Amino acid sequence: IEEEVAKLLKLKAQLGPDEGKQKFVLKTPKGTRDYSPRQMAVREKVFDVIISCFKRHGAEVIDTPVFELKETLTGKYGEDSKLIYDLKDQGGELLSLRYDLTVPFARYLAMNKLTNIKRYHIAKVYRRDNPAMTRGRYREFYQCDFDIAGQFDPMIPDAECLKIMCEILSSLQIGDFLVKVRAEQGWEGKVGPGLSQEKVLCRGNSSPSDQVYQGSRKEILFSLGLGSLQVNDRRILDGMFAICGVPDSKFRTICSSVDKLDKASWEEVKNEMVGEKGLAPEVANRIGDYVQQHGGVSLVEQLLQDPKLSQNKQALEGLGDLKLLFEYLMLFGIADKISFDLSLARGLDYYTGVIYEAVLLQTPAQAGEEPLGVGSVAAGGRYDGLVGMFDPKGRKVPCVGLSIGVERIFSIVEQRLEALEEKVRTTETQVLVASAQKKLLEERLKLISELWDAGIKAELLYKKNPKLLNQLQYCEESGIPLVAIIGEQELKDGVIKLRSVASREEVDIRREDLVEEIKRRTSQPLCIC
Amino acid sequence: IEEEVAKLLKLKAQLGPDEGKQKFVLKTPKGTRDYSPRQMAVREKVFDVIISCFKRHGAEVIDTPVFELKETLTGKYGEDSKLIYDLKDQGGELLSLRYDLTVPFARYLAMNKLTNIKRYHIAKVYRRDNPAMTRGRYREFYQCDFDIAGQFDPMIPDAECLKIMCEILSSLQIGDFLVKVRAEQGWEGKVGPGLSQEKVLCRGNSSPSDQVYQGSRKEILFSLGLGSLQVNDRRILDGMFAICGVPDSKFRTICSSVDKLDKASWEEVKNEMVGEKGLAPEVANRIGDYVQQHGGVSLVEQLLQDPKLSQNKQALEGLGDLKLLFEYLMLFGIADKISFDLSLARGLDYYTGVIYEAVLLQTPAQAGEEPLGVGSVAAGGRYDGLVGMFDPKGRKVPCVGLSIGVERIFSIVEQRLEALEEKVRTTETQVLVASAQKKLLEERLKLISELWDAGIKAELLYKKNPKLLNQLQYCEESGIPLVAIIGEQELKDGVIKLRSVASREEVDIRREDLVEEIKRRTSQPLCIC
C-alpha cells in the first residue's frame, strides 16, 4: 500500500501544486479594463484640460462614495434602472453602485441642506450595459460633471454650461497632433504650422467639407469632428406632445422613442411609437413634422409664431427661455456652434428644462475610410425637481449641469497611439544615477539619496554592478534625459560626470553643484507627448 | 359616494404628493462619507505630497477596475476575507469590490505577463469592517500604493520603499502649521519661525520628550508624532515559530496573534495562543521571549548569533537580508528612524519577506490631553509569491511595496480645521466680473467670456442686476482677490475698474490691458491655506 501511495503522491506532484489554477480565468470583469501607464498618461492629459476649465469657471470640487443606498437611486433613471449594479445583501443596508454623478449630487445637496453651489466631480460610474469597448463603451467609466445649483436669474447658468462644453471640446486637442475638434459651422481646432495633409470631413447638419491642411509632420493621427452640439428643452417636447395628442401617461416613453432619432430613421422611430407603444399614426405624424426640424435662433422665433405650439404654456416658456439662451450664447461668441434640434430628447427622467448634447465624429486618418461615429461625448441639462425628491419637505433646488464622457476620447487616442507605436513618456525621471565601474553601489545609493532629498526625480538600476551600457540603454528606453555617472576617478576629484542622453555630451560637475545643474537642465516643463 | 371620494382625495392632497418620502433615510452608506469642497482641499494637498514623492522615485501610474472577479480575491487575505464586499449575482460573472490594491496589481502583472515595473496606484478600497469614522476608519477609503516588481539584487528596492515611507511621512506637514511629523529618535518636521508654543510628546520606544517651540502663530493645530517605524521579516517569524515548536499548520494563525501585540499586552496574546488556538504554554513562552525584543541593527547581529535561530535556514536568510537592508538604510540616512521589532507580523497572508509598518501618534494641541493613537498610516513588505498564484504556469515575479493610509491623516486635519473654523479657499477664482449699475448683464457676459478665453479664472453673480455690495461681499466670503467693475462711464472710456479686495484700492485699466494686469497681480502660486 505504501508503495502505491508514494506513486500516487509522485503523480500528484507532477501535476503541479494546484490543478485548480489551470481553470482560473485571468481577466478583468466584463466591460471593464485596466489603465496601463501609457493609457494613464493620455487620461491625465485629458483630465488636466477638463479640470482647468472647471476651475476657470470658479467651481469647487466634491466626492461621494462609489455606492449609495439602493433606495437613493430608485425611481430616478426611468427605463435605464435595470442597468444598475446592486451589491449582495451581506447583512445591513442594501447598496448599489452609482449610475451617474447627478443623483449623488442631488442627494448631497439635500442631505447638507445646500441651496447654492457650483461644483465639479470626476469619478467612475457603473452601468450593466452592453459594452463595446473598442468604441469606448464600458461598464465602468469616468464622468466629469460640472453643475450649478441655486435659484438664479434665468438662463445665465445654463449659458455658462454650454460655454464650458464648447471650451472643453475646443481644447481637447491633446496636442494638435492627437485630437482636433471641429464643428459643423466653422469650429476648428488650432492647426499648428507644418502639419500633415489631411481631410477634415464634417457630417451632421452641415454639408461635408473637404478643407485640406498642408504639411509634413506625420503626427496627425486623426481628427475628431463635432458632429453637432444640439439644444432643446423638455418643456418644448412636452408641449409638443400635448398639442400633437399624446396621452399624458405616454410622454416619457414617447420621449424615449424620439431620443433614438440620432441613430434611427424617422420611419423606424414612428414604427416603434405606433407598433410597440400604441400611438395613433396621425399623432405620430404630427410629432414627425416637428422633430425633424432643426436650426438656430430663427427656428425658435418661428416656433414662437406656431399657432398651436405658442398656445401651450409649457412650450411657450421653453421657447422663451431658449430665445434668451441664444442671446447669451451670442455674447459668449458660441451661438453659431449650437443648433436647436427638436429631436434631441435625452434618456433620463430627471430633466425639466433645457437639454443639450455634443456628438463627435471621428474623421478618418486615411482617405476613403468611413467617418466613425464616436457618439455623445458631452451632455446635460436642467433638472429642477431632483433635489426636491430627496428633501424631506420637498424643497426644490434648481440645478443645471453637464457631463463629459471622456472614455470615448481616451479610446480613440489610445488606439491610434497603439497603431503608430508612438512613444509616450510614462515617468518624469530627470536623471539616472549610474556607475562606470563595479563596486560602486554604495556611492550610487548615497548620491541618489542626496538627489531625492533635494527634490530631484532620480532612478538607479537595482543591481549591484550594472554595466554602463545597460544603464544608458535604460535611459534611451524610458526617456530619461540625463545620467549622473560615478567613477573612481570622479570620486577622487569630487565631481560627477553629467551626460546628456540625447547629445551624448559629458561634463564633469562639482558634486555640490550637481542639484542646481540638473534643475537648470530640466527646467522646461515636462511634456508627456 | 362621489362626495366621499372628493373628501378623501382632498385629504390625500394635503398629505403631500408622496408619503413614502418621509420614511426615506437621507444618508451615505454605513462607514462611508462625502468629501465637501473643504475636505477635498485637504485631500488634494495630501495627495500632491504623496504623488510628488512617487514620481521623484521614477514610478509610473496604473489604474484597475473597482471590482474584480470574485475568484481573483479568493484565498489572498486569510481571516480578513470575510470583510470583502460581494456584488449581487445579476447574471454573468461573480464580482467583488477590491479589498486592497496589491492583489489587483499582482493580477495585472500576471495578465499582462509583466516581469518588471515600478508603479504607483491611488484609489479607493473596500472593507466591511467595523467603522470608526472619527478616527479615520472607513469602509471605503483611499490607499496610495507604490510597488517595485522584478528580479533584482537583494534589498535595494526594499530599502527604497522604506526611504519613500520616510520621505512622505516627513513631508506630510500640509504646511508647517497643520501636521508635524516627528519620530521616536529625533525625527522632526520643519518648524517655521514664529510658531506658537507647543509641546511635542513622543511615545513608543523612546522616552517622552517635551521640547518646547516658542512663537505666536495660532495656526499650529496639532502635531503627528511617528510612534514607530518598524521592520521585521516573515522568514524570521516563521523560523522563530519553527524553533519554538509551533506546528506548521498553525504558523499563519499564530502570526495573526502576534500581530495584535501593537494593541494588546503579551499576556492577552499568550492567552489567545494557548486558550483559543491550542498552543502548548511552553511553546508560547518561547515565542514570548523573542517577540518582546526590539532594537536596531545590533539586535539583528545579536540574533544572527542566537544558537537556535541561526540554525534555522529561513530565519538566517531573513536576518542576513535585514542586515543588508540596514546597511542601505544607513546610506539613505534613515537607519536611525527605523526599529527592528520581532512582534511586527502584519495581518495579510501574502507577505514572504521583509515587512514594515509606520504608526502615528497625535500629540495633543492642549497640555494635559492624552496623546491619541492614530494607528498605522503606512505599511508594506515583500510578497514574492502573489503574482505566481495568478500565472497559469506559476511563474513568480518578486514584488515589494508600500501603502499609505491617508484617511486617518485627512480625518485629524479636518477635525482640527472644523474646531478652529479655519478658512480654506475651495476655488481658485482670480477675479469677479461685477457691475456698478443696473442693466449691464450683457457687458458682464461679454467681458467674462473674454477673460475665460484668455485663461483667466473668473466668476460673476448669476443675477441680472446684482448690487455692488453683494458682489464685493461674495469676494470676501470666497476669497476672490480681484474685482473687475464695469460701469457706464468706464464703458465710455474704454476702461475697467480693477479693485483689490484686500486693500480696497481701485485703478482704471484699459480694457486691452486687463488680462495682463490680472495675470500679473495673481502670478503668486495659489495656496489653499
Side-chain angles (χ1 to χ4, degrees), chain A residues 1-10:
Chain A
I1 291 172
E2 270 182 16
E3 251 182 51
E4 282 294 303
V5 169
K7 247 193 211 166
L8 283 169
L9 280 173
K10 211 173 162 188

Side-chain angles (χ1 to χ4, degrees), chain A residues 278-503:
Chain A
L279 206 63
E282 63 276 17
V283 174
N285 285 336
R286 274 178 231 138
I287 295 175
D289 290 343
Y290 282 111
V291 296
Q292 291 176 83
Q293 298 183 54
H294 50 76
V297 66
S298 57
L299 179 59
V300 179
E301 312 218 340
Q302 181 194 316
L303 290 176
L304 276 167
Q305 306 305 320
D306 183 288
K308 283 189 204 155
L309 208 54
S310 62
Q311 293 310 303
N312 181 284
K313 191 169 163 276
Q314 273 203 296
L316 200 62
E317 277 179 21
L319 287 165
D321 275 353
L322 272 197
K323 196 173 164 217
L324 187 59
L325 178 70
F326 269 101
E327 280 172 31
Y328 296 160
L329 297 180
M330 195 82 75
L331 293 164
F332 283 162
I334 53 169
D336 60 345
K337 296 182 184 2
I338 292 158
S339 84
F340 168 36
D341 196 313
L342 278 158
S343 73
L344 178 69
R346 305 283 305 133
L348 300 175
D349 267 12
Y350 48 63
Y351 290 116
T352 55
V354 168
I355 48 179
Y356 31 82
E357 184 171 278
V359 177
L360 286 195
L361 290 176
Q362 185 190 347
T363 58
Q366 319 251 299
E369 278 179 33
E370 272 294 290
L372 179 61
V374 181
S376 165
V377 288
R382 180 161 280 284
Y383 49 101
D384 288 347
L386 192 57
V387 179
M389 290 172 77
F390 290 109
D391 189 277
K393 290 178 185 162
R395 276 170 300 213
K396 288 189 174 180
V397 177
C399 293
V400 63
L402 64 98
S403 183
I404 310 281
V406 284
E407 225 75 36
R408 295 176 183 198
I409 297 164
F410 296 162
S411 278
I412 298 170
V413 179
E414 286 159 18
Q415 282 174 40
R416 296 287 167 145
L417 279 174
E418 284 308 312
L420 286 191
E421 295 175 22
E422 196 73 13
K423 270 207 178 174
V424 174
R425 266 206 87 174
T426 53
T427 67
E428 298 177 6
T429 308
Q430 297 164 297
V431 62
L432 185 85
V433 173
S435 55
Q437 291 105 9
K438 287 191 176 182
K439 297 198 182 168
L440 288 169
L441 173 61
E442 298 205 348
E443 292 299 333
R444 281 192 291 139
L445 292 177
K446 255 161 65 180
L447 178 61
I448 200 167
S449 184
E450 285 171 31
L451 295 179
W452 286 331
D453 292 345
I456 300 290
K457 294 168 189 150
E459 288 185 69
L460 50 69
L461 294 201
Y462 301 124
K463 292 194 73 133
K464 277 185 89 115
N465 298 309
K467 290 185 182 142
L468 187 58
L469 190 65
N470 291 346
Q471 296 175 90
L472 296 179
Q473 247 166 8
Y474 179 77
C475 292
E476 298 270 4
E477 283 158 18
S478 58
I480 300 175
L482 298 172
V483 197
I485 304 171
I486 307 174
E488 275 157 22
Q489 190 56 47
E490 284 82 3
L491 280 174
K492 279 181 203 146
D493 299 346
V495 297
I496 303 289
K497 208 178 273 305
L498 192 61
R499 178 187 170 109
S500 155
V501 176
S503 71

Side-chain angles (χ1 to χ4, degrees), chain A residues 41-42 44-45 174 423-426 428 526-529:
Chain A
V42 172
E44 295 198 337
K45 191 89 179 169
I174 319 177
K423 270 207 178 174
V424 174
R425 266 206 87 174
T426 53
E428 298 177 6
L526 288 160
C527 175
I528 65 153
C529 314

Side-chain angles (χ1 to χ4, degrees), chain B residues 179-381:
Chain B
V179 185
K180 190 152 53 61
V181 174
R182 192 187 145 76
E184 39 168 341
Q185 288 146 343
W187 183 332
E188 203 164 286
K190 258 181 295 172
V191 178
L195 296 176
S196 73
Q197 178 171 341
E198 180 218 25
K199 290 196 175 189
V200 179
L201 301 175
C202 266
R203 214 177 63 174
N205 297 329
S206 67
S207 58
S209 73
D210 57 0
Q211 225 174 313
V212 174
Y213 297 106
Q214 298 288 338
S216 61
R217 268 173 67 187
K218 72 159 190 137
E219 289 90 345
I220 283 202
L221 304 182
F222 65 101
S223 70
L224 288 178
L226 186 76
S228 50
L229 205 169
Q230 307 171 331
V231 294
N232 195 6
D233 194 296
R234 270 283 167 88
R235 291 164 298 174
I236 300 174
L237 280 168
D238 285 354
M240 178 187 78
F241 293 146
I243 61 163
C244 292
V246 178
D248 282 16
S249 62
K250 290 193 175 160
F251 274 21
R252 286 283 75 80
T253 184
I254 294 302
C255 196
S256 292
S257 299
V258 168
D259 194 45
K260 292 174 185 161
L261 277 171
D262 57 338
K263 289 176 200 116
S265 70
W266 166 247
E267 281 312 309
E268 290 166 310
V269 169
K270 184 186 162 186
N271 284 344
E272 180 180 301
M273 287 177 176
V274 176
E276 285 176 39
K277 303 193 169 171
L279 207 63
E282 63 276 16
V283 175
N285 285 337
R286 274 178 232 138
I287 295 174
D289 291 342
Y290 282 111
V291 295
Q292 292 175 84
Q293 297 183 55
H294 51 77
V297 67
S298 57
L299 179 58
V300 179
E301 312 216 339
Q302 182 192 316
L303 290 177
L304 276 168
Q305 307 304 321
D306 183 287
K308 283 188 203 156
L309 209 53
S310 61
Q311 294 310 304
N312 180 284
K313 190 170 165 274
Q314 272 203 296
L316 200 62
E317 277 178 22
L319 287 164
D321 275 351
L322 272 196
K323 195 173 165 217
L324 188 59
L325 179 69
F326 269 101
E327 280 172 30
Y328 295 158
L329 297 180
M330 196 81 77
L331 293 165
F332 284 161
I334 54 169
D336 60 345
K337 297 182 186 359
I338 292 157
S339 84
F340 169 37
D341 196 312
L342 278 158
S343 72
L344 178 69
R346 306 284 304 135
L348 299 176
D349 267 12
Y350 49 64
Y351 290 116
T352 54
V354 169
I355 48 178
Y356 31 81
E357 182 172 280
V359 176
L360 285 195
L361 291 175
Q362 184 190 348
T363 57
Q366 319 252 298
E369 279 179 31
E370 272 294 291
L372 178 62
V374 181
S376 165
V377 289

Side-chain angles (χ1 to χ4, degrees), chain B residues 31-33 127 129 131-133 136-141 407 411:
Chain B
T32 70
R33 61 154 171 179
R127 301 186 184 175
D129 215 336
M133 307 215 281
R137 280 176 66 97
Y138 292 88
R139 290 181 157 196
E140 173 186 60
F141 59 97
E407 226 74 35
S411 278

